[in-house]
Amino acid sequence: MTILESIRGPHDLKALNEAQLDELARDIRQFLIQAVARTGGHLGPNLGVVELSIALHRAFDSPVDRILWDTGHQSYVHKLLTGRQDFSKLRGKGGLSGYPSREESAHDVIENSHASTVLGWADGLAKAHQVLERSDHVVAVIGDGALTGGMAWEALNNIAAAKDRPLIIVVNDNERSYGPTIGGLADHLATLRTTDGYERFLSWGKDVLQQTPVIGQPLYESLHGAKKGFKDAFAPQGMFEDLGLKYLGPIDGHDIAAVESALRRAKRFHGPVLVHCLTEKGRGYPPALRDEADRFHTVGAMDPLTCAPLAPAGGPSWTSVFGDEIARIGAERPDVVAITAAMLHPVGLTKFAEAFPDRVWDVGIAEQHAAVSAAGLATGGLHPVVAVYATFLNRAFDQLLMDVALHRCGVTFVLDRAGVTGPDGPSHNGMWDMSLLQVVPGLRIAAPRDADQLRAQLREAVDIDDAPTVIRFPKESVGEPVPAVGRIGSMDVLHRAEDADVLLVAVGVLAPLCMKAADLLAGARIRCTVVDPRWVKPVDEALPPLAGRHRLVAVVEDNSRAGGVGSAVGQALRDAGVDVPLRTFGIPEQFLEHGKRAEVLADIGLTPVEIAGRIRAALAAKEAATRTEESGA
Ligand SMILES: Cc1ncc(C[n+]2csc(CCOP(=O)(O)OP(=O)(O)O)c2C)c(N)n1
Ligand SMILES: CC(=O)[C@@H](O)[C@H](O)COP(=O)(O)O
Ligand SMILES: [Mg+2]
């Protein structure tokens, strides 16, 4: 049995000696590389927090002490140390979540994988402990990337003001989000890192001198005083100390004893204290350390030796189609610029950035700033393209509404990972954009059904300079082209039928699924017209009269049913006085458990069989109601 296998919970860590702890760290690294290579997941970030996680669980008593993780993608080691070592179905249906999960363990608190929230949670918890006179510790672990998010600073402003409220902030500083962390904060952390010598010297001095009888302690104290004086005299007074936080660091985040010692010092401090730990993303795995793009931030299932993907690539991704087209547009349109929120490569801006380095900005994990600065860029005469994952746009809704749309700024938001993503769990599905954005005056939303449509709609979007435009597409390979057989209004007709019974409105990537449903219905002698609206907001004026020529309208979307395109179509039918039964198919109003995209879509009934079955049932119910009405007449 390895030492890792002997760990049933954090209590088992307390008795381990230094050599055993080092062996445990080796076990964990080996485990992570093998396990995450099998399933895919956040390998780089977790390799960077092995010693940090061990030290945290030795210095504190979770779950009585609350250890909180920002974003939570780096909580695998925490899981291993808190009784969860079956990673065989990590991020898979029925397996461990890739993020903290209250259902899995009392040691887990924050399930939300959106960055920069941990300090807010910690502020709230610390206040609760103070009001309830609880002395349990609150420890918030935040990455240098997550520290670039505005919410982190809102919380810090509150935390720093409460000098008497204990709260321990651990900055996991590996100098990277995906790529190197940008901005003045990153520069400041780098400055603090240069004081690294003090801590090494100090921790050496402390260990050696405190073991020296008689003269050791006083000498240590004077050294400590000297270090403080030297630091004050020569090193920049850290911004954190300027804010009023006690600053401990920088600490070697891979030295368990040093981190533990700093945490134990922090515990004794009756106020907010920040422990600055220096770590290395991907530590201990050379292929990750060699990866300059993102240090294996997220990997798919792969051979741990060769890093070759285990699953064959399924063809070009939506992201790559966008990336190629925006680079072409950039060559034609010098006014087109781009913004990323710390995800340049994941959102497909690599080529654009290589070609036009002065026309792309990484704003950090700061989607709100991305939206507002885009309003500024548009007002300055450019056309910004803001590329984010759909779910992360949620936090920039007000900026989109009140800065971009209110001022009629021509900004294009490109939402990758729209719809059900799957393995990344409930907070990563891009399932709310087409609901939230319905209420934004003037804003237009496009949902392309294939690569050709993505390219076309992207070009249409960047040509609109007096309103925000949104283009959204999923996380998967782009499927086969879905040809149109005609056009009605601005909607593409994908399938026609004489005297059709059903108008099937296929939104974006679900068009092929709708075509299959139409085939199934044809087998039951139910004829369908299938249309792709292309631009789903505003609803095409030709849709209500077209609907009026059918016995039933069905809208199918990879978005929440609540307030989605289906709701907007219903509103348009009512506004036009068209009285035809409407059935909407989408994601139910719930948080979806992690699992493969196809599994989740099947679980929520977004399959051709389910859709066809429910349309048939709706038609039958309508006929029955009509017969009853007629017989009663
Ligand atoms: C609001 C938001 N935007 C973007 C992301 C995508 N994302 C996940 S982890 C990450 C980088 C986090 O960097 P850091 O906080 O330094 O943690 P590390 O991975 O370095 O441990 C990003 C941008 C997110 N989770 N939340
Ligand atoms: C934690 C986080 O938000 C990102 O790392 C996200 O998990 C990446 O998702 P993809 O793997 O779909 O790019
Ligand atoms: Mg980082």
Side-chain angles (χ1 to χ4, degrees):
M1 172 185 281
T2 65
I3 292 189
L4 172 57
E5 287 162 341
S6 72
I7 303 296
R8 294 280 176 271
H11 46 277
D12 292 335
L13 294 171
K14 316 276 187 188
L16 298 181
N17 62 36
E18 194 171 336
Q20 289 168 320
L21 290 170
D22 290 343
E23 187 179 340
L24 172 62
R26 286 193 296 277
D27 286 351
I28 290 173
R29 262 196 187 88
Q30 200 49 39
F31 177 97
L32 287 173
I33 293 166
Q34 296 304 322
V36 181
R38 261 194 305 277
T39 61
H42 289 93
L43 182 54
N46 282 283
L47 288 171
V49 295
V50 172
E51 292 81 8
L52 177 60
S53 306
I54 293 171
L56 277 164
H57 278 293
R58 278 174 53 88
F60 294 99
D61 298 314
S62 174
V64 173
D65 292 335
R66 310 313 299 262
I67 299 176
L68 314 176
W69 300 89
D70 193 280
T71 318
H73 63 304
Q74 77 296 57
S75 61
Y76 297 2
V77 183
H78 161 78
K79 293 197 175 199
L80 288 171
L81 300 177
T82 52
R84 289 165 281 177
Q85 299 192 6
D86 177 3
F87 274 43
S88 59
K89 291 197 289 184
L90 177 67
R91 302 170 9 127
K93 192 173 181 177
L96 284 180
S97 163
Y99 300 92
S101 160
R102 294 185 180 191
E103 197 179 305
E104 286 176 17
S105 169
H107 293 277
D108 293 4
V109 179
I110 308 172
E111 302 185 349
N112 175 18
S113 62
H114 292 200
S116 316
T117 69
V118 76
L119 298 186
W121 277 86
D123 183 44
L125 265 170
K127 285 168 179 169
H129 285 196
Q130 192 166 51
V131 167
L132 300 172
E133 296 177 348
R134 285 182 51 176
S135 60
D136 312 312
H137 295 283
V138 176
V139 189
V141 183
I142 185 165
D144 56 299
L147 258 183
T148 60
M151 267 198 291
W153 292 89
E154 292 171 23
L156 269 178
N157 184 43
N158 284 271
I159 290 167
K163 303 284 187 280
D164 64 340
R165 190 182 300 131
L167 194 160
I168 297 160
I169 299 168
V170 178
V171 175
N172 170 32
D173 179 6
N174 55 27
E175 304 177 71
R176 302 179 77 94
S177 292
Y178 279 73
T181 299
I182 64 96
L185 171 76
D187 297 344
H188 182 71
L189 288 174
T191 309
L192 293 176
R193 275 194 291 276
T194 59
T195 67
D196 187 6
Y198 301 138
E199 287 311 316
R200 282 193 218 279
F201 175 66
L202 187 72
S203 60
W204 167 80
K206 185 174 174 164
D207 296 348
V208 169
L209 291 173
Q210 284 187 325
Q211 287 147 26
T212 311
V214 180
I215 62 158
Q217 189 56 29
L219 189 53
Y220 164 69
E221 291 306 334
S222 61
L223 255 184
H224 188 288
K227 172 251 176 183
K228 187 92 182 64
F230 182 64
K231 191 168 177 178
D232 292 351
F234 294 98
Q237 179 71 359
M239 121 178 97
F240 299 113
E241 286 167 318
D242 289 343
L243 268 177
L245 296 166
K246 167 78 176 165
Y247 171 86
L248 297 179
I251 312 286
D252 175 357
H254 298 295
D255 178 337
I256 296 172
V259 176
E260 190 176 336
S261 162
L263 293 175
R264 293 188 185 284
R265 281 163 64 195
K267 277 174 88 168
R268 295 194 293 272
F269 193 72
H270 295 287
V273 52
L274 185 142
V275 182
H276 180 194
C277 293
L278 308 185
T279 62
E280 189 179 36
K281 200 167 202 173
R283 187 175 179 94
Y285 187 43
L289 293 173
R290 288 194 294 268
D291 174 24
E292 264 322 298
D294 67 17
R295 294 286 178 83
F296 282 20
H297 178 86
T298 315
V299 296
M302 64 177 192
D303 178 316
L305 290 177
T306 65
C307 302
L310 297 186
S317 66
W318 287 88
T319 312
S320 64
V321 174
F322 161 65
D324 292 343
E325 194 64 14
I326 194 62
R328 280 192 282 269
I329 292 170
E332 300 159 20
R333 291 269 303 269
D335 63 315
V336 169
V337 295
I339 297 176
T340 176
M343 299 178 76
L344 183 83
H345 303 303
V347 296
L349 287 175
T350 308
K351 284 188 177 174
F352 188 95
E354 284 165 356
F356 316 108
D358 299 334
R359 288 162 49 192
V360 60
W361 294 274
D362 174 356
V363 296
I365 309 180
E367 285 82 2
Q368 294 171 325
H369 178 64
V372 178
S373 61
L377 284 160
T379 303
L382 298 173
H383 189 107
V385 173
V386 179
V388 293
Y389 284 8
T391 189
F392 301 140
L393 182 70
N394 296 354
R395 65 170 47 172
F397 173 77
D398 186 64
Q399 291 75 19
L400 200 166
L401 179 69
M402 288 300 165
D403 295 290
V404 179
L406 176 64
H407 299 84
R408 290 192 293 281
C409 295
V411 176
T412 296
F413 292 85
V414 175
L415 307 186
D416 199 333
R417 273 48 174 187
V420 170
T421 49
D424 253 331
S427 48
H428 258 79
N429 293 302
M431 56 187 272
W432 298 282
D433 56 292
M434 292 199 294
S435 301
L436 291 171
L437 301 176
Q438 290 295 342
V439 302
V440 181
L443 177 142
R444 299 166 55 81
I445 306 173
R449 65 175 185 272
D450 59 26
D452 292 339
Q453 287 303 312
L454 171 51
R455 287 187 275 267
Q457 290 165 24
L458 179 59
R459 287 180 175 274
E460 291 162 32
V462 298
D463 282 346
I464 294 171
D465 59 8
D466 61 353
T469 49
V470 173
I471 299 197
R472 52 109 67 185
F473 47 77
K475 168 182 187 174
E476 59 179 16
S477 304
V478 178
E480 291 303 314
V482 183
V485 296
R487 182 161 279 204
I488 298 175
S490 63
M491 300 180 288
D492 276 354
V493 179
L494 307 183
H495 181 269
R496 277 192 199 288
E498 286 305 310
D499 302 328
D501 306 293
V502 177
L503 172 61
L504 195 41
V505 180
V507 176
V509 71
L510 297 189
L513 177 148
C514 291
M515 295 294 277
K516 289 188 184 116
D519 286 347
L520 293 171
L521 287 164
R525 289 196 298 284
I526 296 172
R527 298 174 300 275
C528 291
T529 304
V530 183
V531 296
D532 166 11
R534 299 182 75 254
W535 291 88
V536 294
K537 179 185 187 305
V539 174
D540 192 286
E541 286 172 0
L543 196 151
L546 176 65
R549 298 197 290 275
H550 292 78
R551 295 165 52 212
L552 180 123
V553 182
V555 180
V556 185
E557 60 191 299
D558 190 3
N559 182 84
S560 175
R561 277 186 68 224
V565 177
S567 301
V569 167
Q571 186 63 50
L573 295 178
R574 285 189 296 278
D575 292 351
V578 174
D579 180 14
V580 61
L582 168 69
R583 288 294 179 277
T584 60
F585 298 87
I587 301 171
E589 217 175 309
Q590 65 191 44
F591 294 112
L592 302 175
E593 282 303 307
H594 55 276
K596 289 190 177 68
R597 172 177 160 83
E599 288 171 336
V600 175
L601 289 173
D603 288 348
I604 59 178
L606 286 180
T607 66
V609 170
E610 284 268 325
I611 290 169
R614 288 182 48 207
I615 288 174
R616 278 186 70 179
L619 278 176
K622 181 174 184 299
E623 278 158 18
T626 308
R627 282 196 299 276
T628 307
E629 214 171 277
E630 284 159 358
S631 63

